[in-house]
Amino acid sequence: MIPLVLASASPARLTTLTRAGVSPEVIVSGVDEDAALAAAQERHGELDASDVALTLARAKAEQVSREHGVDALVLGCDSVLELDGQVFGKPHSSQVAVERWQTMRGRSGTLHTGHWLVDDREDAADSPGTGATLGATASTVVHFADLTDAEIAHYVGTGEPLQVAGGFTVDGLGGPYVRGIEGDYHAVVGVSLPLLRELLDQLGVAWHELLDR
């Protein structure tokens, strides 16, 4: 089994990987997201929503790789919601979450989830590392239900929307408020398993080499 480190505090990402047979070690990065985005914009100019997600995923993976020296593959992920050309991350406050849902209800947005892999394996005969660093973004259209003010107030009151990208979940209490999606369900949860498989393939790693069963 090739070891994987998940550079994310998201329990949904960990659960998704675990249910798919992968048992990563979790090392949460301490990335300053605002600083990472500012640096990327200085180098490349204004970022679109998909690049915002990819930039933050890369920053997380590369910081964990740089500071922890793990003998493993390191995966960083980040998600943002795009609506009306604006990029929305975690609301963090109830007021922002309510305002967000008043804008989202009855409409559709695109959830972008960036994935970045760093190959930090030591150059051992049974698991040769490449030193590669690469990534891609999975984008999924999400159709939101037309919630009443009371529904929004109750959902925000649960606290769930405050700490998740876009202020909603599809696999938790927010499930009834998502009418449908166009794309990869797992990408909306937080990590696209098909995209991760494709990135692993570029490193010469087969998906089953990560499995613990």
Side-chain angles (χ1 to χ4, degrees), residues 5 9 23 42 57 67 91 103 123 141 145 154 159 162 165 186 200 208:
V5 168
S23 298
E42 185 175 344
E67 296 185 359
T103 301
D123 196 12
V141 176
H154 184 272
L162 275 59
H186 292 108
L200 289 166
H208 63 263

Side-chain angles (χ1 to χ4, degrees), residues 48-55 57 78-80 111-116 135-140 187 192 195 199:
D48 62 25
S50 63
D51 286 335
V52 168
L54 191 61
T55 295
D78 196 88
S79 299
V80 297
L111 197 284
H112 302 281
T113 298
H115 302 65
W116 201 271
T137 301
S139 299
T140 304
S192 170
L195 179 55
L199 292 174

Side-chain angles (χ1 to χ4, degrees), residues 12 41 66-67 73 91 95 137 139 141 150 155 158 162 164 175 191:
Q41 288 170 344
R66 183 173 60 252
E67 296 185 359
L73 299 171
Q95 180 180 348
T137 301
S139 299
V141 176
Y155 181 42
T158 68
L162 275 59
V164 290
V191 55

Side-chain angles (χ1 to χ4, degrees), residues 5-9 25-29 57 60-62 64 74-77:
V5 168
L6 177 62
S8 170
E25 177 185 1
V26 175
I27 301 178
V28 181
S29 76
K60 293 175 181 180
E62 293 189 342
V64 168
V74 181
L75 173 65
C77 295

Side-chain angles (χ1 to χ4, degrees), residues 30-43 55-56 59:
V31 166
D32 182 329
E33 296 188 1
D34 291 338
L37 290 175
Q41 288 170 344
E42 185 175 344
R43 290 193 304 269
T55 295
L56 294 177

Side-chain angles (χ1 to χ4, degrees), residues 11-176:
R13 292 190 178 110
L14 177 60
T15 298
T16 298
L17 289 167
T18 302
R19 287 178 176 171
V22 182
S23 298
E25 177 185 1
V26 175
I27 301 178
V28 181
S29 76
V31 166
D32 182 329
E33 296 188 1
D34 291 338
L37 290 175
Q41 288 170 344
E42 185 175 344
R43 290 193 304 269
H44 307 296
E46 193 67 28
L47 303 177
D48 62 25
S50 63
D51 286 335
V52 168
L54 191 61
T55 295
L56 294 177
R58 179 174 187 171
K60 293 175 181 180
E62 293 189 342
Q63 184 181 70
V64 168
S65 169
R66 183 173 60 252
E67 296 185 359
H68 293 272
V70 295
D71 178 14
L73 299 171
V74 181
L75 173 65
C77 295
D78 196 88
S79 299
V80 297
L81 178 70
E82 181 181 9
L83 185 68
D84 293 335
Q86 291 185 279
V87 178
F88 298 110
K90 300 173 183 177
H92 292 301
S93 75
S94 296
Q95 180 180 348
V96 172
V98 167
E99 293 171 351
R100 182 83 52 81
W101 264 101
Q102 288 173 341
T103 301
M104 290 161 41
R105 59 182 171 190
R107 304 181 63 200
S108 302
T110 301
L111 197 284
H112 302 281
T113 298
H115 302 65
W116 201 271
L117 268 179
V118 178
D119 189 351
D120 249 359
R121 293 173 293 165
E122 294 180 0
D123 196 12
D126 60 342
S127 181
T130 65
T133 175
L134 74 165
T137 301
S139 299
T140 304
V141 176
V142 182
H143 304 289
F144 300 106
D146 191 5
L147 275 64
T148 64
D149 288 345
E151 287 176 313
I152 292 174
H154 184 272
Y155 181 42
V156 171
T158 68
E160 182 184 81
L162 275 59
Q163 299 300 323
V164 290
F168 74 97
T169 66
V170 70
D171 60 329
L173 299 177

